[in-house]
Structure formats: C-alpha cells, structure tokens
Amino acid sequence: QVQLVESGGALVQPGGSLRLSCVVSGSIFWFYPMGWYRQAPGKQRELVAAIRSGGGGSTNYADSVKGRFTISRDNAKNTVYLQMNNLKAEDTAVYYCNRGGFGSPDFGSWGQGTQVTVSS
C-alpha cells in the first residue's frame, strides 16, 4: 500500500514562494514518474507538474504554472518537491503528489494534501 505524505503548504502573500515536499513509501519510487496535482474549491483536481523517473528526469508543466513552478525529485529519499515562485491568488488550492504525467495513472490512493493559500 503506497503512502504519500505532503508538507510545506502555508499562507503566503502574492509574489511569494513556497517549497512543497512529498515523501512516498510502499512503492518503488524511483521507477515511476511523479506529479504534483492541485484541487481548488469547486474545481476538479488537475496535474500541474510532472517529472520522469530516473536521475535526469525530464519535466512537464501546466501552462498556468510554467516558468514559476519547478518539480524535482530525490530518489534516495523517496521524495518529490515542488518549488513555487511568484505565487498568485489563483494558485490557492490543496496540493497533492502522486504518480502521474507521461501517460502514467495515479496510484489509486491519495495523501491528505497540503493547503496553499495565496492572499494579501
């Protein structure tokens, strides 16, 4: 059973930065592409960033975050990160990590997520 534990969310002002972390256990972490998803109130969950497996994994981003967010992973620590810069009010959401991107489905179970609120 895979376990996903997200952290790092907070209340931040527009233009600010945050770094989210997600520790994955119970899975062959290094083998899978990983993604960061978010779900805003009243909206569907969306994939915003993904990174391939392997040390030099290529990345993909949703247009809404391209140039502001950076996804990375540390396979030795079973951890995936999301560096978020120049945050906007529309980035407010609960953020989740899971397998995803590059045609890979999610694990089928989700962590509790971490709340990011961008507000002055």
Side-chain angles (χ1 to χ4, degrees):
Q1 179 88 13
V2 64
Q3 291 184 324
L4 306 136
V5 180
E6 301 93 347
S7 63
L11 170 64
V12 62
Q13 291 186 344
S17 297
L18 284 175
R19 189 194 195 203
L20 307 184
S21 300
C22 174
V23 179
V24 183
S25 59
S27 173
I28 310 173
F29 174 79
W30 59 266
F31 188 74
Y32 297 114
M34 291 295 297
W36 279 97
Y37 301 74
R38 68 185 182 188
Q39 187 167 21
K43 295 188 176 181
Q44 288 190 328
R45 187 175 292 161
E46 61 171 340
L47 178 67
V48 296
I51 185 168
R52 285 194 186 275
S53 59
S58 58
T59 56
N60 272 344
Y61 298 93
D63 288 343
S64 58
V65 307
K66 201 170 293 184
R68 301 187 297 121
F69 290 10
T70 302
I71 187 172
S72 60
R73 65 192 295 162
D74 185 337
N75 288 337
K77 295 182 178 180
N78 280 19
T79 301
V80 60
Y81 304 97
L82 186 68
Q83 177 66 43
M84 305 187 294
N85 298 328
N86 190 22
L87 283 160
K88 304 176 180 180
E90 52 263 42
D91 296 318
T92 295
V94 180
Y95 284 72
Y96 304 87
C97 74
N98 212 306
R99 183 173 62 185
F102 306 100
S104 292
D106 59 63
F107 284 121
S109 62
W110 296 82
Q112 63 184 20
T114 187
Q115 175 71 48
V116 172
T117 302
V118 185
S119 175
S120 55

